[in-house]
Every structure is written in C-alpha cells, then in structure tokens.
Amino acid sequence: MRAGEEAEAVAPAEADRTKSTRRRMTSSTGRPRSEEAHQAILDATLALLGEVGYSALTVEGVAQRAGVGKATIYRRWSSKLPLVVEAFSALPGFEDVDAGSLEHDLKETLRKYLEAFNSTALGTVFPSLAGERAHNPELSKLIEPVARARREPFVRIFERARARGEISSDVDIDLAADLVVGPISVTLFFRGGSLSPRMVDPLVDLALKGILKRG
Amino acid sequence: MRAGEEAEAVAPAEADRTKSTRRRMTSSTGRPRSEEAHQAILDATLALLGEVGYSALTVEGVAQRAGVGKATIYRRWSSKLPLVVEAFSALPGFEDVDAGSLEHDLKETLRKYLEAFNSTALGTVFPSLAGERAHNPELSKLIEPVARARREPFVRIFERARARGEISSDVDIDLAADLVVGPISVTLFFRGGSLSPRMVDPLVDLALKGILKRG
Amino acid sequence: MRAGEEAEAVAPAEADRTKSTRRRMTSSTGRPRSEEAHQAILDATLALLGEVGYSALTVEGVAQRAGVGKATIYRRWSSKLPLVVEAFSALPGFEDVDAGSLEHDLKETLRKYLEAFNSTALGTVFPSLAGERAHNPELSKLIEPVARARREPFVRIFERARARGEISSDVDIDLAADLVVGPISVTLFFRGGSLSPRMVDPLVDLALKGILKRG
Amino acid sequence: MRAGEEAEAVAPAEADRTKSTRRRMTSSTGRPRSEEAHQAILDATLALLGEVGYSALTVEGVAQRAGVGKATIYRRWSSKLPLVVEAFSALPGFEDVDAGSLEHDLKETLRKYLEAFNSTALGTVFPSLAGERAHNPELSKLIEPVARARREPFVRIFERARARGEISSDVDIDLAADLVVGPISVTLFFRGGSLSPRMVDPLVDLALKGILKRG
DNA sequence: TCGTAAGCGAGACGGTACGTCGAGTCTTGCT
DNA sequence: AGCAAGACTCGACGTACCGTCTCGCTTACGA
C-alpha cells in the first residue's frame, strides 16, 4: 500500500466529519471548531480504550481526560461508537512489503500485523467494535473501510504473486487473504489467546502448501 | 463430540452456580431455587440478545421479560456476562460428521456451523462476547470452553484424517482447524459480512490443496 | 388556629404524597420508601434554600447534601418546585392568640408572623415561590393551601371580634385580613425591606381606625 | 409623576449601561452600538416574559428571538436579571389622577394600577423579580426605584389630601399607601388570585374608614 | 406440625453515566 | 470597535440501569 492510499483508506472519517454534522450548512460562519480539542478528544479516547477497554469507556471520561466539555464531543460524534471508530482509524496503517517472494512478503507482513495488534489499542478495540456490528448497522458502515484497509496489504501481495506466476490465476485472492489472516482472527476472537509472532511461519507454510499431503 | 461431553463443555456455569452462591452452605435448607425462574431468565436473555444485542441488554430488562425480580438473577449470576454466557452455551452444539472423507466431513460440518451462526443468536452474541474478552479476563475464562467446544468437531475430523493417512502426521491439527474456520471468523468480525454456505466449498478446497501451485 | 387543624393545613403535601406518585398502585408491594431519606431531603432543601435561595437551589445539590441519589428525590417530587413547597410547608405554623381584644390579638399575631418570616426560610422562600405561581399553575395549586394557612389566624381573630361586636357584621373579613397583612406583603415584595416588629403597632392602629379623620 | 422623573425612575439601567461595559474607555472609537439591536432585545425580552415567564426565560432564547448574538446582550447587561428589569421598567408608568377627592383619586388610580398589572407583563414579571430579591442584592438595588415609582402616585394623592385637611397630619403617608396597595399585593402573592377591579371600592372604603366600628 | 431458613416478585436505595440545554466567554469574518 | 454566528468549558437537568437492600410472601425441610 502506498502512503497516499493508506491515508485515504484508514482515515475515512475525515471526509465523513462534515457529513456527520447535520446542522452545519455553511462552514464559514461562527467560530470554527477547535482542531486542538478534536485531537485531544481522539487522543484521550485511544488512551482510555487501552486502559479500560471499549465497554467501560465513557464519554464523560473522555471529556474529562481531554479537558473538554461533553457537548464538544457530542457536537462531533453522535455517540461513543463513531468516536472510537475515528480514534482508532487514525492509528497508523502499515506499508507494503515487496521483496519479490510470496512466502517472504506474507510472513513479513503478518509479523507487522501481529505487532500492530499487540502494541496498539487495535488488539482490544477491534474485537469490541466488531462485536457491536451485528446490532449497529451504522457502526458497521463506519468500520468497514477501516477493516478493509487492514486486509488490503495481503490482497496486494497475492496480486503480485499471481502476476509473477507463483500462484494459479484462478485462485480467489480474497479467499486466500482470508485464509492467512483467518487463524489470527480465530486466535483473537475464539480463543482469548495472545498473538505470538511464532505462529506466523507455520501458518503461512500450511496455507501455502495446503493441509493435504502433496502427491 | 459426544452428547455427554458437549453438555459438560457448553454448560460449565452449571457447576459454577453453587460456587457463585457464597452464602449457601447446605443445599438442603430453605426454599429451593426455582428451576422455572431459572429457565425463564435464560429464555428471556436469549430472546433479548436476539432483539437488541449484547450491549443493549440490561439485567433489568431480562428480569422484567422473565417476570422475575432482579435479585433472583443476581443470586445466580454475578453480572450479565456470565448470564449471557450460560444462556448461549445452552444453545445446541452439533454432532460429529464421519463419512470417512476429510473433504466431505469438513464441508458438511462447516455448513452446519454456518447454519448455527445464521439461525441462532450465536452469530450476534458470540462477537459481542468475544469483544469483551480483552478487558474481562473472568469472562474470558467462561467463554473459553464454549468456544473450544465449537472448534472441537474440526479437530476430531482432522484426527481421523490423520489416522487414515490423508494428511501428514506432522500437520499441526489445531492450526489446520484454525485455517478452515479462519475465513468464517474473518467474515464475521472483519467484514460485517453474512455467512453464506456458498463460501464453504471453495474455502475447504483451497485450505486442503494450498494456495501455491502444485508442482 | 388549633394545633390539629394547623397540622392539617400546613402539611397538605403529606396527603398529597401518595397521589403525586403516579406509578404507585398498591403501597404494599416492594421495598417501602425510606422515611429517613424523605426527611433528609427536606432538611437539606431547607438548609440550602436558606443559604443560596430558591433559584440557585439545585436538585443535584439537595441530593448531595442529603446523601441521597437524585432518583430518590425525583421518585417523590416531580421537580424542585413541589419539593420546596413541601419542605417549607413543613415549617411550623403558629397558634392562635386569643386574649379577647381585637387590637391585642392582631398585634401579637402579627409580631409572631414577622418573627416567623425573619427567623426561618419563609422570608426568602415564600417570595420565590410566589413569583413562580403566575407561570406554573400546578405550583399555584400546591402553595395555595399553605399560603391560606398563613392567613388563617387573622381570619379567626376577626371572626371572634365580630362575634364580640367589636366590628360591624358587614365587614368583609377576608378583606380586613388582607388589610392588616397587606403592608407586610408590600414590604416583602415591593420594597426589598426588612420586616421590623416596630411596624406592627402603627399598622394595626391605622387599619383599625382608618386613614380618614374620624368625625 | 412628571415625565422627567418617570424616565429617571423607571430606566435606571440606562445609567448603568456604560458602567457595566467595562472595556469601554472612549465612546468615540469603533462602531457604535446598534440602537436597533438594543430595542429588539428589550422587545424580545418582554414578549418572552409574557409567554414563558421569568424563570423559563433564557438569554439564548432572547438572542434568537431578537436576531442578535448572545454577546451583544452580555455586552449591555450582565445577566438576565438586569435585562428583565430594564425591559419592564420601560413599561409605561401612569399619570397622576387629581380630582380633588382622596377617595375618588385613590379608586381611580388603583383601577389603573390593576389594569396595568392585568394587561402587561407586570403582573407576572414583578412577582418573579420580587422573588429573587432576597438572594440577589444587586437585583434588589435595580428594582427598588422601579417599585418605588409604582407606589409614588399613591404617596402624592395622600400628600394632597393632607394638604386639603382630609386626613390628619400625623398619618404616616407611606404606611397609608401600603395599606391601600396591600390587599393587591396579598392577592398577587399570597393568593394566586386574579386582580379584579371590583375589589377596589370596598378596599378603599375599608382602608379609609377603618375596620373598627365608628362611634 | 410447625418453625426456620432460604427463595420469591416488587421496588426503593445510593450511584454513575447518559445525552441535552443553557450559562457566560471566546473566536471567526464582516461592517 | 460592534455585529451575528456559533464554538468553547462548565454544570445541572431528568432518565435509565447498576448492583444491593428491604418488604411481605411462599415453600420445603427437619426438629
């Protein structure tokens, strides 16, 4: 993924911000919204997410931590959900790895992937948000692009591999991406397990070669 | 999975019930707990979970729906979390499919798997609970056996396949199970996507044969 | 006014309490309302009224001072208005003075009257409440009996004077009562003035003899 | 009351206006204050006072109604209190009635008095303001001259009557004025009652002749 | 058979957070 | 400068649930 696209992909809420502010017609009148406050709120949100988790996060707490009135938060986000989405969609994405080998690129990228989940709020926030999707279609729409952006690097790796002829042209690339990311998802959601980088090599090896004996 | 084990696996709270009731010394004294109320609570919980989702579920609402006092709920479960866990761990598990073929068994079981997620509260409740694990170790302990039970059939299928020699003996069976379940987890959590049974065949085929060209 | 009647007159909210609690059907079920909390709330209300006045009184403040949850207040009173009404309607009324002389009884009673306004929250609370009546008919209904009770002793004094023949039988007693209480009301509301007991004698003398020269 | 005195009496806030504007040093610099806006604010205030009453009046609402920024209001008045005082002190006063008879002049003036209370915001606003006096000395100072101006005509009537010899020279004129205005004050504050012009005649008659039997 | 110990529905309790509103202040760009 | 607009922080509003606590009442057991 290249920088420009990444920015676009992981921060879609930026464009959304004006849209989400219903009452706003012209942005030219009145005192402009404080960019400082905006950032303080997002920072406080991420900090608290890391500390207490999504469900124990309160708008009241964020306001206090950010040194901001509650109304300033509600003026921008209708509830804690889109706030959290925007906060964590601002987390850094990761760059493409392109060393010319499917296996190597996958392993390298997965390691970064795990690293991101382990070292940022992603690992705890993402499951929380995911859990809300089923009953909150609005949220669902908001997270979708963020989630897609996270999978994107894998899609690119497979596309390059196909171009190089490493994989058959009739392999469903989305499915392939899901296959390598899948065990991580399972670990994260089904087991409570920690994401160790040691799981990467065997995982990629198995996904590439297949479970069946090769004959 | 055989019936007895399933019961044990999916209803661990049963054993917990007595433990959680601190004041209880002898089980013989006083009025016994109403099994009727117990069931009404679980039913109401499942119904509400389906309607409003996990995070909008309130103990107050469950009590009202079940025609029960709040204390009667708190006497049995310490909070809504274990309540929900027990409620949905009571959902039916599924039996082993054993037709002697790895591919066939996997596909059949996966289809049942998807069916269960689509037709019960599982599909919406599980993600909700999973999302809470990160910040709630107690819950984590409670869902673990339930989650494991859901993966168990796949482990058995692979064990039988290994015994038959369909797969190499050095394949990590847990990893293999994660590989086939993975894309479902990804669809459920990362995409907001619906779980279509049509995804089963390509998924199993790819996982078994591997992503790389066979040569 | 005799003790029994006074109690009934100045504490009409007591009877009203059940009525004002709309949701309540039977008082027999559930945990009974805490009389302790009730009293603590009224006490806190009176204390705060004296300290900060009616308009600066907040339900939040009362709750805090009383060591009570806000809901416990709102369960009993729909807003701060009826709360304040009940709080101050619980202030002690005063007993009849009956020494057999119109002039003496009036003066004595007026002095007690002023005393009450000066030494309790009455002097500050009553004007506040009165000021709200115009735009709050519900409140108006609530204070009416309380206000009437305060005027009642004067009505009785005049009734006895009429019975003794001190005043003509065609004097409108209500009007006469208003005449002697009037200057106090004027002082309280139109001037910001303090209510000095020294105003009593000239006032009663003038009201009894009339402003015109007697001839 | 003559025009000049009325203006001074009922619009004391005019003098205050400059004082309250702290930043103002020279009146010659910058854009002059809009007299239009000033009037619009006072009009909106009176209109809203009549509609929703004093305590439900908000500066925000006034600004909106007047098509004015909140700052423009706060630049002139420090809070809603002095604003309201000024707004209603601009209500018309009433002219002296001088027909040479104490009884006639009093009755005529009282009728106008009641008329004013019934037909303008006075009847609802005055009690509200009065209620705030006890806990707001600043306000108290502001209303005092306004309130005094309202009583002034009665003082003049009695002065003329004394000059004519209708009343004894040792009658306390302030007290006499309070006596005739008193029952109106009582009706307004103690009872929620409406001010009917029919109460005027009996009231004046009783006040003049006295409550006691003449003999 | 009867007391006693617990469970029961109901609902009040002290709290915490909700999302809204208004207070009074502070920028904007324009007049 | 003043102006309309509208953001800002702050704090109270009245509501909803939390998890705990009485109430007056079953209900079953064991003395």
Side-chain angles (χ1 to χ4, degrees), chain B residues 30-31 34 68-69 72 75-76:
Chain B
R31 177 178 177 174
S34 158
V68 140
T72 301
R75 209 174 284 124
R76 292 166 156 85

Side-chain angles (χ1 to χ4, degrees), chain A residues 22-98:
Chain A
R22 270 131 252 209
R23 285 186 293 277
R24 213 88 181 276
M25 308 202 174
T26 339
S27 49
S28 62
T29 191
R31 177 177 176 173
R33 293 199 179 161
S34 159
E35 203 51 50
E36 217 176 316
H38 197 88
Q39 200 51 52
I41 293 166
L42 292 178
D43 291 351
T45 303
L46 276 179
L48 284 172
L49 274 175
E51 291 171 22
V52 304
Y54 173 79
S55 69
L57 182 86
T58 66
V59 173
E60 198 118 7
V62 172
Q64 207 156 327
R65 177 83 146 237
V68 141
K70 275 198 288 176
T72 298
I73 296 181
Y74 282 110
R75 210 174 282 125
R76 293 165 156 84
W77 299 277
S78 62
S79 74
K80 79 169 173 171
L81 265 172
L83 165 60
V84 167
V85 171
E86 179 167 345
F88 104 6
S89 75
L91 288 175
F94 31 80
E95 294 165 18
D96 272 4
V97 173
D98 185 357

Side-chain angles (χ1 to χ4, degrees), chain C residues 117-199:
Chain C
F117 270 86
N118 281 331
S119 64
T120 70
L122 261 185
T124 60
V125 175
F126 199 87
S128 293
L129 294 181
E132 297 291 324
R133 295 186 75 161
H135 287 283
N136 198 327
E138 200 184 344
L139 165 70
S140 205
K141 237 174 288 174
L142 288 176
I143 0 177
E144 196 180 308
V146 185
R148 197 205 319 288
R150 299 277 157 198
R151 282 175 61 261
E152 200 82 318
F154 298 102
V155 170
R156 289 182 210 281
I157 288 171
F158 282 116
E159 279 170 351
R160 286 196 305 263
R162 183 164 59 187
R164 284 190 306 259
E166 282 190 87
I167 62 176
S168 159
S169 65
D170 56 359
V171 165
D172 179 339
I173 283 185
D174 276 321
L175 184 55
D178 286 356
L179 206 64
V180 295
V181 179
I184 290 172
S185 176
V186 170
T187 303
L188 203 55
F189 294 103
F190 281 66
R191 330 224 239 250
S194 58
L195 297 165
S196 158
R198 270 171 300 143
M199 69 187 289

Side-chain angles (χ1 to χ4, degrees), chain A residues 151 172 174-176 178-179 182, chain B residues 106-108 110-111 113-115 117-118 179-189 191-207:
Chain A
R151 282 175 61 261
D172 179 337
D174 275 322
L175 184 55
D178 286 356
L179 206 63
Chain B
L106 278 179
K107 288 181 177 175
E108 209 56 41
L110 270 177
R111 265 187 282 270
Y113 200 73
L114 295 189
E115 171 69 15
F117 270 86
N118 282 331
L179 206 64
V180 294
V181 180
I184 289 172
S185 175
V186 170
T187 302
L188 203 55
F189 294 102
R191 328 225 238 249
S194 61
L195 298 165
S196 159
R198 270 173 300 144
M199 69 188 290
V200 169
D201 284 357
L203 157 58
V204 172
D205 292 344
L206 190 63

